[in-house]
Amino acid sequence: AQKVTQAQTEISVVEKEDVTLDCVYETRDTTYYLFWYKQPPSGELVFLIRRNSFDEQNEISGRYSWNFQKSTSSFNFTITASQVVDSAVYFCALRGRYSSASKIIFGSGTRLSIRP
Amino acid sequence: DVKVTQSSRYLVKRTGEKVFLECVQDMDHENMFWYRQDPGLGLRLIYFSYDVKMKEKGDIPEGYSVSREKKERFSLILESASTNQTSMYLCASSAGGSSYEQYFGPGTRLTVT
């Protein structure tokens, strides 16, 4: 069975602080794909990143960075120098390589609030 | 940029009405999806389509049907709306294959009274 756990239901930090959103996954597939999505108050889920299981290189995009560690089955997301516009619900998701395209497993989401 | 549009942002319908939610994508994606999102329940897949006229039930298909007559358009139909179908409905599309990310529309907040 596949599972994605986002243990942090809500996080609140002051603007300019760094914040890390945790994502732990379970899968028996040897090849799989991990995703992060952002859902701002407007409601639309916005795709942020895809990571293939065979590529453990960490990724940085501006103030966003992702730390993929196969040994601990984690794919954590860090926002550096957070801004109010980062306030949103963030979802981590998983799909196995041989799963149907419909079998993407979403975590329950972490609601991030950035206070000015 | 991928664009997924949904016919309405907000919709209010009466119990028993037939409701159509339309979704259009402009990236020639093979796959299209309908989800509903409820507080505490996360995202739940209602139906999935992997090709024109092809569909697959998701986790919660009861009370819903879908139609995909053209590649770019995927419709969700509530045959007889009920109050427990009040929810946020999200449409998504993706290219074929399991590695591809889904792109979501802005969502339709449906209220059934």
Side-chain angles (χ1 to χ4, degrees), chain A residues 33 35 37 39 41-47 49-50 52 89 91 95-104 106-108, chain B residues 4 9 31 33 35 37 42-43 45 48 56-57 59 88 90 94-107:
Chain A
Y33 307 93
F35 309 84
Y37 289 86
Q39 187 176 37
S42 60
E44 179 175 349
L45 269 84
V46 177
F47 165 71
I49 190 172
R50 178 186 73 208
N52 305 329
V89 180
F91 292 93
R95 182 189 294 140
R97 179 179 180 181
Y98 298 106
S99 297
S100 160
S102 66
K103 299 299 181 188
I104 180 168
F106 285 90
S108 55
Chain B
V4 179
R9 289 301 305 272
N31 301 323
F33 312 80
Y35 292 89
Q37 185 178 24
L43 280 154
L45 181 67
F48 159 59
E56 189 178 294
K57 290 181 181 178
D59 301 318
M88 169 70 99
L90 293 163
S94 75
S98 59
S99 66
Y100 293 102
E101 58 276 9
Q102 295 182 8
Y103 291 90
F104 285 81

Side-chain angles (χ1 to χ4, degrees), chain B residues 24-40:
Chain B
V24 177
Q25 51 96 1
D26 67 357
M27 282 301 291
D28 202 36
H29 281 167
E30 288 83 358
N31 301 323
M32 294 189 76
F33 312 80
W34 275 107
Y35 292 89
R36 64 178 281 178
Q37 185 178 24
D38 302 286

